[in-house]
Amino acid sequence: MRPLHNGKAVLIALALATVLTGAGSCDVSTSPGEAQPASGAPAGNGGGGGNNAGGGAAALDALSVATAGSMSGYSREKFTHWISQGNGCDTRDVVLKRDGKNVKATADCKITAGSWHSPYDDKDTTNPQDLDIDHMVPLAAAWRSGAAKWTDEQRKDFANDLTRPQLFAVSLQSNRAKGDQDPSTWKPPSHAYWCTYAQNWITVKTYYKLTVTQAEKTALSDMLATCK
C-alpha cells in the first residue's frame, strides 16, 4: 500500500503546482495614464486640461536643476500653433470653449459669446477678444529648459497640448505681463492661485522632462507652501 500512498501524494503535488502556475501567469498591465514619454516628447493631444496630479513637492524635487539654456535659434514659429482640432476649431477655440461658460460659436467655430474667469488675476469677461491663451510653461521657457533639442513636430505638440495643464484662457493683461518668464520672476497677481499654478507648472515640466533653474525651483517651492 505504500506505493499507492506515494502515487496519491504525487498527484496532489502536481495539482497544486498547476494551480500555483496558473495564478502566477496573470498579466499586470500599466495604466496608460502612468506612462511617460521616453524622450520628453509629447504623447499626443486629448481633451481636458488642468490635470495637475503629481505636481507637488516630490515631483519638484525629482526635476533636474540646470542653468537656463541659450535662446540661440529660438523662434515662436518653431512651435507651430494654433493647429486644427477638427470641426472647424483650432486649439485656441477649444480652450475658449473648455474654459468658458455658456459659450456660443458659429458653424465654423468662431467664438462669439460666453463668460470667462481669468484665474491669474481674478478678472471676468464676456468678450473672447479680451482673452489670450496662455502656455503655462511659455514656449521660450521650454526652449531654454530642453525644447531646443526637440523636433519641430514635438514642439508643435507641446504648443497645442490639451491634455496636460498647459493651456489656459486668461486676461490679455496677465498673459502679456507674464511673457516668457518662469515663477522666479513672475507669479500670478492672484495669490490664491499660486498653489495651483505651481502644481500645473511642475506637472508640465515633469511630463516633458524639462529642467528648472535653482531660482525657479525655490520660487515653486515657496508657491507650493501656500497649498492647503
PDB file of all heavy atoms in Angstrom, residues 7 20 39 51 82 100 109 116 120 129-131 147 160 220 228:
ATOM      1  N   GLY A   7       1.784   7.500  -4.765  1.00  0.00           N
ATOM      2  CA  GLY A   7       1.171   7.929  -6.022  1.00  0.00           C
ATOM      3  C   GLY A   7       0.173   9.043  -5.804  1.00  0.00           C
ATOM      4  O   GLY A   7       0.100  10.008  -6.556  1.00  0.00           O
ATOM      5  N   LEU A  20      -0.831  26.835  -8.758  1.00  0.00           N
ATOM      6  CA  LEU A  20       0.101  27.923  -8.468  1.00  0.00           C
ATOM      7  C   LEU A  20       0.668  28.527  -9.737  1.00  0.00           C
ATOM      8  O   LEU A  20       0.858  29.728  -9.850  1.00  0.00           O
ATOM      9  CB  LEU A  20       1.239  27.399  -7.578  1.00  0.00           C
ATOM     10  CG  LEU A  20       0.840  27.039  -6.147  1.00  0.00           C
ATOM     11  CD1 LEU A  20       2.006  26.379  -5.416  1.00  0.00           C
ATOM     12  CD2 LEU A  20       0.378  28.286  -5.391  1.00  0.00           C
ATOM     13  N   SER A  39      11.404  60.252 -24.387  1.00  0.00           N
ATOM     14  CA  SER A  39      12.404  61.266 -24.685  1.00  0.00           C
ATOM     15  C   SER A  39      11.952  62.657 -24.296  1.00  0.00           C
ATOM     16  O   SER A  39      12.543  63.642 -24.709  1.00  0.00           O
ATOM     17  CB  SER A  39      12.714  61.240 -26.186  1.00  0.00           C
ATOM     18  OG  SER A  39      11.559  61.566 -26.924  1.00  0.00           O
ATOM     19  N   ASN A  51      -5.133  69.094 -15.396  1.00  0.00           N
ATOM     20  CA  ASN A  51      -4.792  67.951 -14.568  1.00  0.00           C
ATOM     21  C   ASN A  51      -3.425  68.178 -13.946  1.00  0.00           C
ATOM     22  O   ASN A  51      -2.405  68.049 -14.597  1.00  0.00           O
ATOM     23  CB  ASN A  51      -4.767  66.675 -15.427  1.00  0.00           C
ATOM     24  CG  ASN A  51      -4.312  65.462 -14.645  1.00  0.00           C
ATOM     25  OD1 ASN A  51      -4.313  65.489 -13.416  1.00  0.00           O
ATOM     26  ND2 ASN A  51      -3.931  64.416 -15.352  1.00  0.00           N
ATOM     27  N   TRP A  82      -1.884  78.048 -33.821  1.00  0.00           N
ATOM     28  CA  TRP A  82      -2.763  77.024 -33.266  1.00  0.00           C
ATOM     29  C   TRP A  82      -3.165  76.059 -34.372  1.00  0.00           C
ATOM     30  O   TRP A  82      -3.521  76.486 -35.470  1.00  0.00           O
ATOM     31  CB  TRP A  82      -4.000  77.669 -32.649  1.00  0.00           C
ATOM     32  CG  TRP A  82      -3.659  78.722 -31.632  1.00  0.00           C
ATOM     33  CD1 TRP A  82      -3.846  80.057 -31.742  1.00  0.00           C
ATOM     34  CD2 TRP A  82      -3.082  78.507 -30.326  1.00  0.00           C
ATOM     35  NE1 TRP A  82      -3.425  80.703 -30.593  1.00  0.00           N
ATOM     36  CE2 TRP A  82      -2.956  79.767 -29.717  1.00  0.00           C
ATOM     37  CE3 TRP A  82      -2.662  77.375 -29.651  1.00  0.00           C
ATOM     38  CZ2 TRP A  82      -2.421  79.912 -28.444  1.00  0.00           C
ATOM     39  CZ3 TRP A  82      -2.136  77.535 -28.389  1.00  0.00           C
ATOM     40  CH2 TRP A  82      -2.026  78.789 -27.796  1.00  0.00           C
ATOM     41  N   GLY A 100     -14.699  78.403 -20.742  1.00  0.00           N
ATOM     42  CA  GLY A 100     -15.794  79.354 -20.589  1.00  0.00           C
ATOM     43  C   GLY A 100     -17.102  78.707 -20.179  1.00  0.00           C
ATOM     44  O   GLY A 100     -17.224  77.482 -20.094  1.00  0.00           O
ATOM     45  N   CYS A 109     -16.918  77.563 -35.992  1.00  0.00           N
ATOM     46  CA  CYS A 109     -16.229  77.573 -34.698  1.00  0.00           C
ATOM     47  C   CYS A 109     -15.641  78.924 -34.306  1.00  0.00           C
ATOM     48  O   CYS A 109     -14.766  78.993 -33.450  1.00  0.00           O
ATOM     49  CB  CYS A 109     -15.133  76.505 -34.664  1.00  0.00           C
ATOM     50  SG  CYS A 109     -14.781  75.905 -32.976  1.00  0.00           S
ATOM     51  N   TRP A 116     -16.021  84.185 -19.093  1.00  0.00           N
ATOM     52  CA  TRP A 116     -14.749  83.573 -18.710  1.00  0.00           C
ATOM     53  C   TRP A 116     -14.204  84.232 -17.452  1.00  0.00           C
ATOM     54  O   TRP A 116     -14.413  85.425 -17.216  1.00  0.00           O
ATOM     55  CB  TRP A 116     -13.720  83.722 -19.835  1.00  0.00           C
ATOM     56  CG  TRP A 116     -14.023  82.943 -21.059  1.00  0.00           C
ATOM     57  CD1 TRP A 116     -13.592  81.687 -21.380  1.00  0.00           C
ATOM     58  CD2 TRP A 116     -14.837  83.359 -22.173  1.00  0.00           C
ATOM     59  NE1 TRP A 116     -14.078  81.300 -22.602  1.00  0.00           N
ATOM     60  CE2 TRP A 116     -14.848  82.317 -23.117  1.00  0.00           C
ATOM     61  CE3 TRP A 116     -15.552  84.535 -22.458  1.00  0.00           C
ATOM     62  CZ2 TRP A 116     -15.544  82.388 -24.309  1.00  0.00           C
ATOM     63  CZ3 TRP A 116     -16.252  84.619 -23.643  1.00  0.00           C
ATOM     64  CH2 TRP A 116     -16.240  83.558 -24.562  1.00  0.00           C
ATOM     65  N   TYR A 120      -5.522  83.920 -13.210  1.00  0.00           N
ATOM     66  CA  TYR A 120      -4.284  84.589 -12.829  1.00  0.00           C
ATOM     67  C   TYR A 120      -4.533  85.880 -12.051  1.00  0.00           C
ATOM     68  O   TYR A 120      -3.773  86.225 -11.150  1.00  0.00           O
ATOM     69  CB  TYR A 120      -3.444  84.914 -14.061  1.00  0.00           C
ATOM     70  CG  TYR A 120      -2.878  83.719 -14.788  1.00  0.00           C
ATOM     71  CD1 TYR A 120      -2.127  83.887 -15.947  1.00  0.00           C
ATOM     72  CD2 TYR A 120      -3.073  82.409 -14.335  1.00  0.00           C
ATOM     73  CE1 TYR A 120      -1.596  82.804 -16.636  1.00  0.00           C
ATOM     74  CE2 TYR A 120      -2.555  81.328 -15.016  1.00  0.00           C
ATOM     75  CZ  TYR A 120      -1.818  81.527 -16.174  1.00  0.00           C
ATOM     76  OH  TYR A 120      -1.299  80.451 -16.857  1.00  0.00           O
ATOM     77  N   GLN A 129     -12.415  88.418 -27.103  1.00  0.00           N
ATOM     78  CA  GLN A 129     -11.268  89.183 -27.583  1.00  0.00           C
ATOM     79  C   GLN A 129     -10.434  89.755 -26.437  1.00  0.00           C
ATOM     80  O   GLN A 129      -9.323  90.251 -26.656  1.00  0.00           O
ATOM     81  CB  GLN A 129     -11.743  90.313 -28.506  1.00  0.00           C
ATOM     82  CG  GLN A 129     -12.480  89.833 -29.740  1.00  0.00           C
ATOM     83  CD  GLN A 129     -11.679  88.820 -30.553  1.00  0.00           C
ATOM     84  OE1 GLN A 129     -10.502  89.022 -30.821  1.00  0.00           O
ATOM     85  NE2 GLN A 129     -12.325  87.716 -30.936  1.00  0.00           N
ATOM     86  N   ASP A 130     -10.968  89.695 -25.226  1.00  0.00           N
ATOM     87  CA  ASP A 130     -10.226  90.164 -24.058  1.00  0.00           C
ATOM     88  C   ASP A 130      -9.320  89.086 -23.489  1.00  0.00           C
ATOM     89  O   ASP A 130      -8.689  89.290 -22.447  1.00  0.00           O
ATOM     90  CB  ASP A 130     -11.201  90.612 -22.957  1.00  0.00           C
ATOM     91  CG  ASP A 130     -11.942  91.888 -23.310  1.00  0.00           C
ATOM     92  OD1 ASP A 130     -11.454  92.633 -24.185  1.00  0.00           O
ATOM     93  OD2 ASP A 130     -13.014  92.127 -22.709  1.00  0.00           O
ATOM     94  N   LEU A 131      -9.262  87.941 -24.159  1.00  0.00           N
ATOM     95  CA  LEU A 131      -8.537  86.795 -23.630  1.00  0.00           C
ATOM     96  C   LEU A 131      -7.368  86.379 -24.519  1.00  0.00           C
ATOM     97  O   LEU A 131      -7.428  86.499 -25.748  1.00  0.00           O
ATOM     98  CB  LEU A 131      -9.477  85.602 -23.479  1.00  0.00           C
ATOM     99  CG  LEU A 131     -10.660  85.781 -22.523  1.00  0.00           C
ATOM    100  CD1 LEU A 131     -11.703  84.698 -22.788  1.00  0.00           C
ATOM    101  CD2 LEU A 131     -10.193  85.737 -21.074  1.00  0.00           C
ATOM    102  N   ALA A 147      13.590  72.148 -24.773  1.00  0.00           N
ATOM    103  CA  ALA A 147      12.859  72.012 -26.035  1.00  0.00           C
ATOM    104  C   ALA A 147      13.686  72.376 -27.254  1.00  0.00           C
ATOM    105  O   ALA A 147      13.302  72.053 -28.384  1.00  0.00           O
ATOM    106  CB  ALA A 147      11.587  72.863 -26.002  1.00  0.00           C
ATOM    107  N   ASN A 160       0.379  72.863 -28.463  1.00  0.00           N
ATOM    108  CA  ASN A 160      -1.059  72.643 -28.625  1.00  0.00           C
ATOM    109  C   ASN A 160      -1.584  71.568 -27.676  1.00  0.00           C
ATOM    110  O   ASN A 160      -2.627  70.966 -27.932  1.00  0.00           O
ATOM    111  CB  ASN A 160      -1.356  72.230 -30.071  1.00  0.00           C
ATOM    112  CG  ASN A 160      -1.032  73.322 -31.069  1.00  0.00           C
ATOM    113  OD1 ASN A 160      -1.834  74.209 -31.325  1.00  0.00           O
ATOM    114  ND2 ASN A 160       0.173  73.266 -31.644  1.00  0.00           N
ATOM    115  N   LEU A 220       9.046  77.935  -6.929  1.00  0.00           N
ATOM    116  CA  LEU A 220       7.979  76.935  -6.970  1.00  0.00           C
ATOM    117  C   LEU A 220       7.747  76.333  -5.590  1.00  0.00           C
ATOM    118  O   LEU A 220       6.601  76.095  -5.185  1.00  0.00           O
ATOM    119  CB  LEU A 220       8.319  75.845  -7.981  1.00  0.00           C
ATOM    120  CG  LEU A 220       8.229  76.239  -9.455  1.00  0.00           C
ATOM    121  CD1 LEU A 220       8.930  75.220 -10.341  1.00  0.00           C
ATOM    122  CD2 LEU A 220       6.772  76.409  -9.884  1.00  0.00           C
ATOM    123  N   LYS A 228      -3.130  74.279   0.727  1.00  0.00           N
ATOM    124  CA  LYS A 228      -3.787  73.913   1.979  1.00  0.00           C
ATOM    125  C   LYS A 228      -4.381  72.518   1.874  1.00  0.00           C
ATOM    126  O   LYS A 228      -4.772  72.085   0.814  1.00  0.00           O
ATOM    127  CB  LYS A 228      -4.893  74.927   2.310  1.00  0.00           C
ATOM    128  CG  LYS A 228      -4.351  76.331   2.536  1.00  0.00           C
ATOM    129  CD  LYS A 228      -5.477  77.297   2.825  1.00  0.00           C
ATOM    130  CE  LYS A 228      -4.954  78.712   3.055  1.00  0.00           C
ATOM    131  NZ  LYS A 228      -6.044  79.681   3.316  1.00  0.00           N
TER     132      LYS A 228
END
